[in-house]
């Protein structure tokens, strides 16, 4: 009797032992946002570890197929990120790419993802089994009309397209952990992690459920743009006004900036309209350079803290608005891609949705003081060489824990001398006017950036990742390639990573190219 019971259990357990690569074999995947940091690393990983994937459709903003293909080769396949894959395939690399990857001209801001060619659209709807939506604008200070069209309504267009895909097994949407707004304490992997003002959140959820929200925000944007056009506003004025309008709308609902507000709305639309689709939402924290794959230290563009590191090593950043003991949650991009891939496999064909926080603050936290200490040691030993060929000597940063103390410092250190320059300029017949205007503009830009980044530099939240930890456990217990798809932040030695991987990678791939 005992053996009769255990036999089926053993068979079920054996059936549960799966292969991630086996699942990906012969699969057709649509990737939006493939020119972005995360999307590009995902494309490279899939092609490198599972060359028997059937097809990758890459949705790229382009006027036609030729332009899309050119963009794919110039902005994705031609990057150094693909050097390992290129070396692996040698002379057959181009034919391998041509066979496996299709550049699709389109745009998430349009119905049917802007795919105009009927036959191509039909093939996509027939073949696609997995969709990775990593399209998005990550600019905190984006124009509201642009951020809304990509981060919010773009999600709805992807979802509508997903519902037309006959074989779809999974839609995975990349959001951000910071949809939580300005929060303290433990932030859970669910919709309750959204902003503190729950009354605003409840109201917004109700509006979105009735689709009033979609109409309301679109109408507000159109009204604002029509108003500006009626005033014959310049493009510069329109841009500035729409940026301010985005911040205003975000703060009205309790979010600090346009980016996280529009990403949060995208999540809400997705959850409310998904029907029976299998949906996964990945919320990464600050995504940084590759930890290991395809090689350590690859990065594209500055990733939040990187702008500070670059300014610091060049002697341009001497003070910072930050609590040095605050945890800064960052995670290498290849780990995020591994979590995305495993989440796809583990949740395929389940008519449910789940949210995963992918970060380090819960399992392996690092604070700003440590980041600064590692940066100071690195640039003391390996100083930046300025345009005159002289090494730049770095010092210890001044930290300001509150906006009030930072403003006071800026007032004494920069604003008062600037007012003095203005007075002298007037006394000398506006002789120093150009110099004053230049410095004043720079100071205004610095203060705007500081205000935009304040919620993150003074952030006190810790991202709970129990769902992600469960996924890691399932990976270890149920999949044969757990090491190939590792995304456990506990394995990161932050000192080694920052000093020997991240900063050298930043110098090589971003700073030296500027």
């Amino acid at each position: 009797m005992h053996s009769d019971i255990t036999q089926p259990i053993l068979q079920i357990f054996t059936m549960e032992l799966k292969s991630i690569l086996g699942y990906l074999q012969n699969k057709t995947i649509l990737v939006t946002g493939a020119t972005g940091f995360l999307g590009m690393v995902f494309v490279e990983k899939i092609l490198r570890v599972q060359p028997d994937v059937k097809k990758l459709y890459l949705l790229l903003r382009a006027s036609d197929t030729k332009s899309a293909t050119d963009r794919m080769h110039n902005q994705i396949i031609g990057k150094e990120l693909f050097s390992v894959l290129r070396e692996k395939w040698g002379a057959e690399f181009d034919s391998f790419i041509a066979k496996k990857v299709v550049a699709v001209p389109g745009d998430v801001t349009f119905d049917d993802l802007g795919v105009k060619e009927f036959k191509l659209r039909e093939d996509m709807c027939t073949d696609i089994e997995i969709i990775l939506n990593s399209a998005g604008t990550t600019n905190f200070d984006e124009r509201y009309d642009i951020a809304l069209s990509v981060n919010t309504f773009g999600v709805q267009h992807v979802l509508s397209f997903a519902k037309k895909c006959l074989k779809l097994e999974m839609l995975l949407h990349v959001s951000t952990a910071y949809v939580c707004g300005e929060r303290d304490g433990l932030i859970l992997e669910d919709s309750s992690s959204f902003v503190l003002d729950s009354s605003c959140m409840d109201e917004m959820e109700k509006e979105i459920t009735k689709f009033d929200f979609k109409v309301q925000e679109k109408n507000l944007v159109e009204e604002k743009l029509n108003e500006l056009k009626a005033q014959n506003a310049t493009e510069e004025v329109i841009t500035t006004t729409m940026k301010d309008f985005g911040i205003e709308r975000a703060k009205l609902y309790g979010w600090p900036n346009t980016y996280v507000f529009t990403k949060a709305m995208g999540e809400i639309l997705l959850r409310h309209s998904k029907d029976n689709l299998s949906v996964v939402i990945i919320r990464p924290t600050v995504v940084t350079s590759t930890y290991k794959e395809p090689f350590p230290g690859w990065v594209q563009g500055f990733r939040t803290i990187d702008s500070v590191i670059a300014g610091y090593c060049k002697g341009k950043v001497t003070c910072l608005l930050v609590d040095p003991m605050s945890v800064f949650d960052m995670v290498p991009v290849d780990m995020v891609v591994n979590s995305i891939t495993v989440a796809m496999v583990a949740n395929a064909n389940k008519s449910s949705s789940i949210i995963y926080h992918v970060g380090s603050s819960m399992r392996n936290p690092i604070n700003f003081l440590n980041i600064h200490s590692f940066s100071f040691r690195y640039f003391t030993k390996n100083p930046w060489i300025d345009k005159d060929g002289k090494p730049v000597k770095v010092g210890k940063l001044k930290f300001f824990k509150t906006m009030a103390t930072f403003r006071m410092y800026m007032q004494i250190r920069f604003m008062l001398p600037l007012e003095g320059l203005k007075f002298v300029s007037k006394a000398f017949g506006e002789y120093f006017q150009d110099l004053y205007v230049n410095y004043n503009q720079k100071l205004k830009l610095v203060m705007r950036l500081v205000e935009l980044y304040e919620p993150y530099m003074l952030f006190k939240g810790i991202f709970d990742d129990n769902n992600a930890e469960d996924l890691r456990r399932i990976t270890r217990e149920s999949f044969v390639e757990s090491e190939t798809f590792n995304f456990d932040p506990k394995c990161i030695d932050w000192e080694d990573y920052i000093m020997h991987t991240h900063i050298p990678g930043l110098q090589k791939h971003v700073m030296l190219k500027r």
Side-chain angles (χ1 to χ4, degrees), residues 78 108 123 160 216 278 319 326 333 357 381 397 428 442 508:
V108 296
D123 288 346
S160 298
Q216 174 188 299
S278 176
C319 65
S326 286
V333 64
H357 279 155
K381 191 177 177 182
L397 286 174
F428 284 85
K442 283 183 178 177
K508 181 181 178 183

Side-chain angles (χ1 to χ4, degrees), residues 199-465:
S199 61
C200 271
M201 195 63 219
D202 291 342
E203 189 182 324
M204 187 190 289
E205 292 260 6
K206 284 172 190 169
E207 285 179 7
I208 287 177
T209 309
K210 293 185 295 184
F211 293 100
D212 290 348
F213 188 83
K214 178 181 175 182
V215 175
Q216 174 188 299
E217 293 305 307
K218 266 191 174 174
N219 286 348
L220 282 171
V221 164
E222 283 172 15
E223 282 171 22
K224 183 66 76 173
L225 287 171
N226 289 336
E227 185 185 308
L228 290 163
K229 283 172 188 170
Q231 295 167 1
N232 291 319
T234 63
E235 198 58 38
E236 189 180 346
V237 168
I238 292 171
T239 297
T240 303
T241 305
M242 293 311 293
K243 283 182 176 184
D244 291 341
F245 189 48
I247 299 286
E248 180 190 313
R249 295 300 297 167
K251 289 188 173 175
L252 177 68
Y253 280 104
W255 276 270
N257 60 53
T258 311
Y259 167 59
V260 290
F261 176 49
T262 52
K263 290 294 279 187
M265 286 191 285
E267 272 199 33
I268 297 168
L269 282 171
L270 184 60
R271 286 199 309 275
H272 277 278
S273 309
K274 74 173 213 62
D275 295 339
N276 291 322
L277 286 188
S278 176
V279 170
V280 166
I281 295 172
I282 294 280
R283 289 181 185 164
T285 53
V286 176
V287 184
T288 57
S289 60
T290 53
Y291 178 62
K292 279 188 178 176
E293 292 185 72
F295 50 85
W298 189 80
V299 66
Q300 177 173 260
F302 288 126
R303 324 301 305 176
T304 310
I305 195 71
D306 299 340
S307 301
V308 175
I309 293 172
Y312 171 68
C313 81
K314 294 175 183 179
K316 293 177 180 177
V317 174
T318 56
C319 65
L320 204 59
L321 172 68
V322 71
D323 181 343
M325 301 314 292
S326 286
V327 170
F328 184 71
D329 197 319
M330 56 186 187
V331 58
V333 64
D334 46 336
M335 286 196 174
V336 181
V337 163
N338 288 344
S339 73
I340 285 170
T341 312
V342 175
M344 284 175 173
V345 180
N347 293 283
N349 294 310
K350 293 179 181 175
S351 59
S352 59
S353 62
I354 188 165
I355 296 168
Y356 296 105
H357 279 155
V358 182
S360 58
S361 58
M362 184 77 173
R363 311 279 162 182
N364 187 11
I366 178 171
N367 62 34
F368 280 98
L369 190 62
N370 284 332
I371 295 170
H372 175 48
S373 173
F374 301 149
S375 301
F376 174 74
R377 282 162 48 199
Y378 180 88
F379 290 115
T380 299
K381 191 177 177 182
N382 311 282
W384 177 264
I385 306 301
D386 68 17
K387 60 185 179 184
D388 298 322
K390 294 177 181 176
V392 176
K393 187 177 180 181
V394 294
K396 293 291 180 79
L397 286 174
K398 292 184 182 74
F399 293 117
F400 297 94
K401 296 182 183 181
T402 66
M403 193 65 173
T405 55
F406 181 78
R407 281 185 192 281
M408 192 181 298
Y409 172 78
M410 293 297 284
Q411 184 78 27
I412 296 165
R413 181 75 176 79
F414 297 104
M415 292 176 190
L416 288 177
L418 194 62
E419 286 303 306
L421 179 63
K422 185 180 180 181
F423 176 77
V424 170
S425 180
K426 280 184 178 177
F428 284 85
E430 309 294 343
Y431 184 78
F432 298 106
Q433 179 65 14
D434 289 347
L435 187 64
Y436 167 77
V437 169
N438 182 34
Y439 277 115
N440 193 38
Q441 284 176 341
K442 283 183 178 177
L443 193 58
K444 281 182 177 177
L445 178 63
V446 166
M447 291 309 295
R448 185 175 179 92
L449 288 172
V450 167
E451 283 166 11
L452 279 171
Y453 282 94
E454 178 194 0
Y456 307 101
M457 304 306 277
L458 300 178
F459 192 75
K460 299 290 185 184
I462 299 294
F463 293 104
D464 173 62
D465 68 345

Side-chain angles (χ1 to χ4, degrees), residues 97-114:
I97 295 297
K99 184 181 174 186
K100 298 292 178 181
V101 188
V102 178
V104 178
D107 193 323
V108 296
T109 62
F110 295 102
D111 288 331
D112 287 326
L113 303 183

